[in-house]
Structures are given as C-alpha cells and as structure tokens.
Amino acid sequence: MDEFILITTEIPGSDEGTITMNSQGETNLKKNFLMLTVCTVLAVSILSGCGKSNNDSSNSATNGNATEKPVEKVTISLLTDNTQDFANVAKAVIDAFQVKYPHITVEHETRPPGAEGDNFVKTRLSTGDMNDVFFYNSGSLMHALNPEENFLDLTNEPFMDNVIDSYKPTVELNGKLYGVPAGSTMGGGWFYNKKVYEELGLSVPQTWAELIANNDKIKEAGIIPVIGTYKDSWTTQLIVLADYYNVHALNPTFAEDYTANKAKYATTPAALRGFEKLQEIGEKGYQNEDFLATTYDTGLKMLAEGQGAHYPMLTFAIPVLEQNFADLMDNIGFFAQPGDSPDQNGLTVWMPSGAYISKQSDHIEEAKLFLEFLTTAEGVAAWSSASKPVGPWAVKGVEVEDDVAQVVKDMLPYFEENRTVAALEFVSPIKGPNLPQFTVEVGAGINDALNAAKGYDKDVEKQAQQLGLEGW
Amino acid sequence: MSKVLKQTYSYLFLVPAAIIYLIIFIVPTIMSFFFSLTRWTLSDWEFIGLQNYQTFFEETALRIGFKNTLIFALVTCVMKVVFGLLLGVFLTSKIRTKNYLRSAVFFPTLVSTIAVGIAFSQMMHPSQGLINKALGFIGIAGPDWLGDTSIALLSVAFVDVWKGVGFATVLFIAGILSIPDEYYEALQIDGGNSWNKFWSIIIPLSRPAMNSVIILSFIGGLRQFDLIWAMTKGGPGFATDVIASIIYKQYVSGYFGLSTAGNVILFLFVTLLAFPLQMYLNRKEVSL
C-alpha cells in the first residue's frame, strides 16, 4: 500500500480549488460534493495507473551514432548496493567509462543489500523511479522482479556475445536475455585457515567424514572448528546451499523436479543431507560460543586471525578480507563442501549479479553503452583494478590475473576440471525467503533437519503459488 | 441565503480534510481489502478469492506470531502502566530535581526506535555486551539476551518499555495534576495516610490517563514492528516473530497480495481486541 500513498498524497491540493467554482447553484452543493469525491477518486486511480508510462517519448532523441554529431551531455544513473566494495568498483568503472565516453556522466547511487535492498528495488520499479542502470542478483531473484515488464530486452544486443554461455541462463526468462555480468563468478564452500591446518597437520577433506574428523582434531587443539555468524542470518544458509553440487551429483534432475513440484527437500535424501550436515555441525558443538550474536564481519576476522579454522561462506568475502587483512591473505584457503563419496567432489558456483537497464530509462542508448563497457576487457580491467575477482570472470577471453587471492587460486582447479555446477537458485526460480530462519533453527538446535526441511518445503510451496508457477 | 445553504455551508470547511482523509486513508483501506483477494505484483493482479487468507493462516510461524504478539502487547502494556504510574506519582511529589527528572524520563521517547534497537542489541551481546559485562563484574553470568529463544522476546519487550515508559509517565503526570485539591483536603480531614491517597484518590481519579496509556500501549504492542526488526529480525529462527514482522517478510518476498491479506487480518485482530477493551475501560471511568 505504501506506493499508493506515495502517489496519492500529491493530488489533493490541486483539486480543492474546484469546489468554489462549482458552487454557484446552492441546491447542487451536495451533488457537487459527491461529484468531487468521485472525481478525485477517479483521478487518483487513473494517475496511479498511468504513473509508469510517461517516459516513452524521450527515447527517440538518442538513436543516432553517438560519435557523428556534436553530442549532448547526458547523465545516467547507476544503482548498486552500498557495500564499500561496490562503492570502489562503481567509482573505478565509472571513471574508465567516462574517459571513453566523455559526453556521458554517470551518477552513482546506493541501496542497502539483502532483503531491504530487494524491497528498495521493487518499490522503485513499481513507482517508476528506477535508475537507468542497476545491479541486481541474477537467477531466481531477478525473475521475481517481473523482468518482462520492467527490464530492457538485451537479447539482440551484439555485446551479449561477449558473455560466457553458462551465465546466460541466469539472466534469461522465456527466451529473452536481460542482463550482463556485473562481477566475477564466485564459489560457495568452506574457507579455511591454512596456518591452522599446517600446525595440526591436516589436509583438505575430500569427504564429509574427513571434514568432521578434521573438526574433531581442531576442537581438541582448542581452536574453534566452524565459525557461526547467526546474527547475520543469511550466512547460515551456506552449508545447505553449497551442498547443491552433491545434490546434483546424486540427482541430476533435482532442479527440474523441484521446480515442477515433484521433488522436495524433506523427501529427497540427497537434498536433506545439506540440512543434516548443518545439524551435525551444530550438535557437535563445533561453533563459537556466541555464534547467535556474532556478525559476518566478526566471522571474517576470526577466520583471518586463526581463531576459527573453517567458515562456510561465499567467496565474495574475499574483497573485505583483502581490505582488512591484506597481510593474512596467504593463510586463507578454500575448498568445496565435500560430499559423502570422494569421487563426487566439486564446487557449487554463484553466478555474478546482473547489470540491467530499466525500461523506463530516458537514456537507453547511453545505458546500453555502459553495459557494453562491462563486457569488454577494458571494463573488466577497470573493475579488477578496484576489486579483485572472487572467481573466474563471466566475460569471454578474460583470464584472472596472477595476483588474485589464494582463495581464487584454490577455486581454479574445480573450473579447469569441470567440477562445477551453478547453485540451485540460478537454475530454479524458487527459493523460499525463509531459508535463513530455518537454517538458524537447525544450526542452533531449535529444530531438527527433517522438520526444518519440511518447513522450508512449505515456504517454497507458498512462493511458487505466489509466483503463479505451473503444477503448484 | 436559502435555508439549505445555511444548514450545509459549514460542511464545506470539512471538505479539504475529508478529501485528504479519503485519499490517504479510506481509498487505500478499501483497495487493500480488494487486493487481499488477489495475487498481486503491484502492476498486475489476478483474482484468487480467499486463497491468500488460507495461505496466511497456514503460515508455519503464524501460531508463534499470534502468541508473541499477544505476549508482547500484554507485557509491555502492563509494565508501562505500572512503571508509568509509579514514576508519575514520584514526579508529581515534592522533590527538588522534578523538572530535570521529568525530562530524563521522557528522553528515550525522543530517540529513534531503530537507534535504540541497534544500541541495545549491542549492549545485549552475550560476552562483549555492556549488560553482561556489568553483570559479570558482580559475579552473575548473564544469559544470551537476544539469542536464547525463551527470553529473546522479553528482552525486546524490556527495551520497548524503557523507550515507551516516558510517554506513559507524561500522561500519568497530566492525569494526576488534574485531580482537584479538594480530594486531598478531604483526605487530610479524614486522617488518611499516603497509601490511602495513592489507592483511593490517585488511582481512581487518574483513570482517564490510565485508560489512555492502556489503550495506546496495547495497540502499539499489537502492532509492534520496528523495534523487533531492529533487534532480532524475528529471530533466532522464528522465535520473536510477531504478526507485523511476518507480514513484512511476506511483503519483502514479493507476496503483495498475501501480505495485504495479512494486514487486513492484523487490522481485524487489533480491532477485535482493542475495541472491546476500550468499551470496557470507558464504562469503568469515574467522572471528576
């Protein structure tokens, strides 16, 4: 309802005047009052219905080739989330872009990350205030934004050929492509402190049982085996989400069946394993004492300083680690979440966010130039200068440089040996919004794996119904 | 001037206010009743009857939500009445630093709820927080205020009382100061003590103030959202979810029709509890 209030509050002042003009006949007064009321209601509903379509006229001006005639100065705006890393990246990319296209100025605006940010983006899209270019998740979250209605279709843009093919399905809906990769790919798995591993003579686990054995030894040595940061509840999902490679290895059709309401977390043993693994970590007391009150930032500090040996996390944590613990980076390694058998060991990969263009943009051509820039070696180099990649790039022919973090180097073998699979949220449009709550419950021992998986299945069902998917 | 105009012209003055009220309250309210019956993406809707209501009542955390909402409203309401009354009596008595103390008590009301929530969740950190460090100093091992599912809600309720008691106190001060002196004189003549003064004069005659405090804090408690969101986001798990936070999470997930249905239910729930309460309280009011 907030949107309607936003729109409607601007109207009343302009309409109040009409009453004096209409009140010449005294007996008409009551009628006029009624009419006025009806008119206002109508005006409001018409205005709120049409609020989005007022930008169509201005696109034609910029269709010509940008270099031919003396071009007008144009300002486009870019929306990213407000993390320090994105602030640095946006600055570097915008600077490089503006050097290449001096007539375009890019203004950078930020929004909060996470669910709050989702809300922010949705509100902007629905009120027609969206920035020209915006970065947002690819995969299922992107689908939830109703791209056909809100995003510019990029399917036939030549620059889409620069994007690696495995990325495209994550920004696709009904055969149309809507975004280009904003950033590098990343892995979901276990960060570990190499120094702790060295001191205790441990080796990277190939199976879950080996990981548990390592944890026991680490605990005996008085070091926290697994860092839990439940205050930021999204961090608790990792063990379940990063297990998808193993789910996929045992049930290659899980994503399809899951989307079609044929497979459930609670009734698919391979999928339930993720919840069970989390429960095991919680039950065996591997986590730090204050895990419920510990934040993500503290978790990274504990990992870098070796207070904790493992931290299940996405590799997007690398830039923050590099910024705060540059001298400790060589101590931090990474491995994929192991499965139950040594020959099915591989990495669950998160595709980069997308850069999208709002359909309501007044400067679509300039916005396209910006997206094109992101898919060039120059654009990637500018990005990389501000924030080193957290995995291989999703742009064709661009390799990671030699000076990347050890964590990224640890990821490369999985890519080279083709032992990767895109995370479930990129191949299925459904991801229940309450997963963090359920994983908190399991990891904190409030609920057991099976019950939480059942609860999560219900959460997913609700989402599928709300999205209006077939078969739910 | 005709008779009709004479009788009706005064309504003209109501029109501006009525229009604003209509546009920003009545219309959205009616629209929300309608959209609660649809699957709604803000730009597009599909009529699905009562399915949203069914889904809402099947919500996993809903039972916890209703229970928590009631507990939260009752606990904060009772505590605000008790502490507000005691502080009100104290701050109307003959003490020197009365004005300073009144400001001090009222001050928390002026601070942003989110800021209060963030500050307290830092202070309630189980090992690094100020509260547990202070308790540790005197040899008590404090609990994990916001992490322990059995006390997390009460911890938030405590902060809400800390923040809201100032307002309750101001209402009580106003109520107590409006009691005419004759009653106290009569008490002196009859030889009553301070207890009689409190029990037989202040409590019954500050009833209107007390009723306002009860109603306002009860409704406020039922609708509580911002403080809970700032402190626990409904967690750990679903342990401190209230109806408002469940609705918010649905809204953030993009279930606009469903969350609108939730808001209609919350509206009815608050009305069903608050309206009879107000009727009951009004009947018991004594006129001065």
Side-chain angles (χ1 to χ4, degrees):
Chain A
M1 290 318 302
D2 292 348
E3 288 66 41
F4 280 86
I5 294 170
L6 274 177
I7 297 161
T8 49
T9 42
E10 292 161 14
I11 321 302
S14 58
D15 274 1
E16 281 161 32
T18 53
I19 190 125
T20 48
M21 285 185 272
N22 288 346
S23 59
Q24 65 277 70
E26 303 110 334
T27 45
N28 282 345
L29 250 185
K30 271 191 179 165
K31 222 186 196 173
N32 278 341
F33 175 72
L34 234 172
M35 280 297 287
L36 183 69
T37 317
V38 172
C39 286
T40 320
V41 174
L42 273 177
V44 169
S45 49
I46 289 166
L47 280 173
S48 57
C50 298
K52 298 182 160 183
S53 52
N54 52 7
N55 292 321
D56 293 355
S57 54
S58 46
N59 298 334
S60 52
T62 50
N63 274 342
N65 192 334
T67 48
E68 276 175 12
K69 44 197 166 182
V71 271
E72 265 180 78
K73 291 231 174 229
V74 172
T75 301
I76 61 174
S77 67
L78 166 71
L79 181 72
T80 71
D81 70 31
N82 62 9
T83 51
Q84 186 57 44
D85 190 46
F86 263 112
N88 299 341
V89 164
K91 190 176 179 310
V93 174
I94 288 172
D95 286 348
F97 178 75
Q98 287 179 162
V99 169
K100 191 170 179 189
Y101 300 101
H103 71 289
I104 306 175
T105 311
V106 183
E107 273 174 6
H108 179 221
E109 203 184 334
T110 60
R111 62 170 172 87
E116 253 175 285
D118 292 353
N119 204 12
F120 185 97
V121 168
K122 281 172 190 161
T123 309
R124 283 228 161 157
L125 284 171
S126 64
T127 55
D129 295 332
M130 186 37 100
N131 304 58
D132 300 300
V133 178
F134 59 101
F135 291 177
Y136 189 75
N137 301 57
S138 52
S140 65
L141 281 168
M142 181 276 260
H143 287 215
L145 292 186
N146 200 358
E148 287 175 315
E149 189 101 344
N150 297 318
F151 296 13
L152 191 73
D153 177 9
L154 304 173
T155 318
N156 298 320
E157 298 301 329
F159 58 77
M160 288 310 291
D161 294 339
N162 304 343
V163 178
I164 59 166
D165 293 328
S166 60
Y167 178 74
K168 286 179 183 167
T170 65
V171 288
E172 186 209 287
L173 186 67
N174 298 333
K176 286 181 181 164
L177 301 172
Y178 293 100
V180 300
S184 57
T185 60
M186 61 184 171
W190 290 58
F191 281 75
Y192 70 105
N193 191 298
K194 293 198 162 186
K195 225 174 172 181
V196 173
Y197 261 56
E198 244 166 62
E199 277 164 17
L200 301 177
L202 303 173
S203 59
V204 169
Q206 298 301 309
T207 64
W208 181 257
E210 284 175 39
L211 176 59
I212 293 296
N214 282 358
N215 279 339
D216 284 332
K217 284 180 201 150
I218 295 165
K219 198 177 176 187
E220 263 170 47
I223 297 167
I224 298 160
V226 182
I227 299 165
T229 54
Y230 287 37
K231 178 83 184 169
D232 290 315
S233 58
W234 61 268
T235 62
T236 61
Q237 309 170 83
L238 254 293
I239 293 180
V240 171
L241 296 180
D243 206 43
Y244 183 65
Y245 182 89
N246 302 313
V247 180
H248 181 78
L250 295 171
N251 293 49
T253 59
F254 181 75
E256 281 162 51
D257 296 345
Y258 175 69
T259 312
N261 195 13
K262 287 181 199 148
K264 298 272 168 208
Y265 265 98
T267 54
T268 311
L272 184 60
R273 271 302 278 154
F275 285 92
E276 286 169 356
K277 286 174 178 172
L278 176 60
Q279 184 179 353
E280 192 174 352
I281 297 293
E283 269 174 359
K284 295 201 167 157
Y286 291 145
Q287 296 175 114
N288 38 315
E289 210 168 282
D290 294 336
F291 65 92
L292 280 169
T294 306
T295 60
Y296 168 63
D297 291 331
T298 315
L300 293 178
K301 184 167 186 264
M302 292 166 75
L303 171 76
E305 292 175 353
Q307 290 162 275
H310 294 121
Y311 189 26
M313 186 36 62
L314 292 167
T315 57
F316 73 6
I318 294 173
V320 187
L321 284 168
E322 274 181 334
Q323 209 152 43
N324 299 332
F325 312 101
D327 48 329
L328 297 170
M329 278 313 281
D330 288 340
N331 293 347
I332 304 172
F334 180 81
F335 58 82
Q337 177 158 308
D340 291 318
S341 142
D343 41 80
Q344 45 134 319
N345 184 294
L347 181 63
T348 310
V349 176
W350 268 253
M351 290 298 171
S353 289
Y356 309 96
I357 301 177
S358 163
K359 233 185 199 175
Q360 304 148 354
S361 164
D362 290 341
H363 304 292
I364 283 181
E365 290 308 314
E366 287 76 8
K368 278 182 189 167
L369 288 175
F370 189 79
L371 258 58
E372 180 185 18
F373 186 66
L374 289 176
T375 63
T376 60
E378 281 171 280
V380 171
W383 190 299
S384 184
S385 71
S387 167
K388 287 185 204 150
V390 296
W393 294 99
V395 173
K396 278 181 195 163
V398 181
E399 304 276 328
V400 290
E401 288 159 22
D402 284 341
D403 64 341
V404 293
Q406 180 59 40
V407 178
V408 177
K409 288 178 186 157
D410 286 351
M411 280 169 75
L412 291 175
Y414 295 103
F415 280 85
E416 282 157 11
E417 291 153 31
N418 217 6
R419 289 186 288 140
T420 61
V421 65
L424 183 60
E425 61 200 81
F426 295 98
V427 282
S428 169
I430 39 180
K431 175 169 184 271
N434 282 324
L435 182 58
Q437 280 79 13
F438 286 111
T439 48
V440 164
E441 287 195 330
V442 174
I446 301 168
N447 206 341
D448 66 38
L450 185 63
N451 272 328
K454 280 182 186 161
Y456 180 57
D457 282 335
K458 273 203 169 159
D459 193 42
V460 163
E461 188 183 330
K462 194 167 60 188
Q463 194 205 25
Q465 285 169 354
Q466 290 287 323
L467 288 177
L469 293 187
E470 300 266 328
W472 295 78
Chain B
M1 237 193 200
S2 83
K3 213 174 150 194
V4 180
L5 185 58
K6 262 189 190 162
Q7 278 169 355
T8 55
Y9 84 97
S10 58
Y11 291 111
L12 273 180
F13 296 111
L14 297 178
V15 168
I19 290 176
I20 292 173
Y21 186 70
L22 185 84
I23 292 174
I24 70 172
F25 184 75
I26 303 283
V27 173
T29 305
I30 292 169
M31 274 163 52
S32 74
F33 278 102
F34 169 74
F35 279 116
S36 72
L37 302 173
T38 64
R39 183 181 294 137
W40 183 30
T41 61
L42 293 183
S43 51
D44 192 21
W45 54 267
E46 178 195 346
F47 192 80
I48 53 168
L50 290 172
Q51 199 186 313
N52 280 332
Y53 289 89
Q54 194 192 337
T55 315
F56 190 84
F57 281 112
E58 281 168 3
E59 171 79 47
T60 335
L62 191 74
R63 194 176 305 165
I64 309 173
F66 271 108
K67 200 182 88 188
N68 283 345
T69 307
L70 273 176
I71 292 177
F72 190 89
L74 283 173
V75 168
T76 54
C77 180
V78 168
M79 304 243 286
K80 279 179 197 172
V81 169
V82 171
F83 288 113
L85 180 63
L86 293 179
L87 283 168
V89 171
F90 176 64
L91 293 176
T92 46
S93 61
K94 289 185 184 103
I95 42 171
R96 270 171 188 225
T97 51
K98 193 156 60 184
N99 285 331
Y100 165 74
L101 285 175
R102 282 183 190 180
S103 325
V105 167
F106 191 67
F107 177 72
T109 312
L110 303 174
V111 187
S112 144
T113 311
I114 304 295
V116 169
I118 292 171
F120 267 93
S121 56
Q122 294 296 324
M123 281 156 57
M124 287 177 171
H125 188 285
S127 59
Q128 265 106 61
L130 190 68
I131 295 177
N132 277 5
K133 279 202 170 155
L135 286 176
F137 197 66
I138 54 171
I140 301 170
D144 185 352
W145 299 100
L146 298 172
D148 185 339
T149 50
S150 53
I151 58 167
L153 187 71
L154 295 178
S155 306
V156 181
F158 162 78
V159 178
D160 186 60
V161 171
W162 177 82
K163 182 169 157 38
V165 78
F167 185 66
T169 306
V170 168
L171 288 182
F172 274 116
I173 289 175
I176 292 168
L177 290 180
S178 70
I179 299 172
D181 283 341
E182 287 87 350
Y183 292 98
Y184 299 121
E185 284 161 18
L187 182 86
Q188 272 186 334
I189 292 164
D190 290 347
N193 56 22
S194 326
W195 171 251
N196 296 129
K197 178 176 155 190
F198 176 72
W199 191 250
S200 310
I201 296 179
I202 292 181
I203 290 208
L205 293 179
S206 63
R207 194 97 207 181
M210 190 185 292
N211 289 352
S212 304
V213 172
I214 291 175
I215 284 289
L216 287 175
S217 56
F218 189 68
I219 294 179
L222 289 177
R223 298 165 38 210
Q224 179 56 251
F225 169 72
D226 38 8
L227 189 65
I228 288 179
W229 200 252
M231 291 184 73
T232 65
K233 293 197 159 56
F238 302 95
T240 56
D241 255 333
V242 291
I243 301 178
S245 68
I246 293 174
I247 293 170
Y248 179 74
K249 282 194 270 186
Q250 291 169 341
Y251 168 67
V252 170
S253 315
Y255 311 161
F256 301 114
L258 181 62
S259 59
T260 310
N263 269 321
V264 171
I265 291 168
L266 178 61
F267 169 75
L268 295 176
F269 181 66
V270 173
T271 314
L272 280 177
L273 288 173
F275 194 64
L277 179 68
Q278 174 136 33
M279 301 273 280
Y280 171 76
L281 292 174
N282 278 351
R283 240 183 296 136
K284 293 198 80 176
E285 233 170 67
V286 198
S287 55
L288 287 177

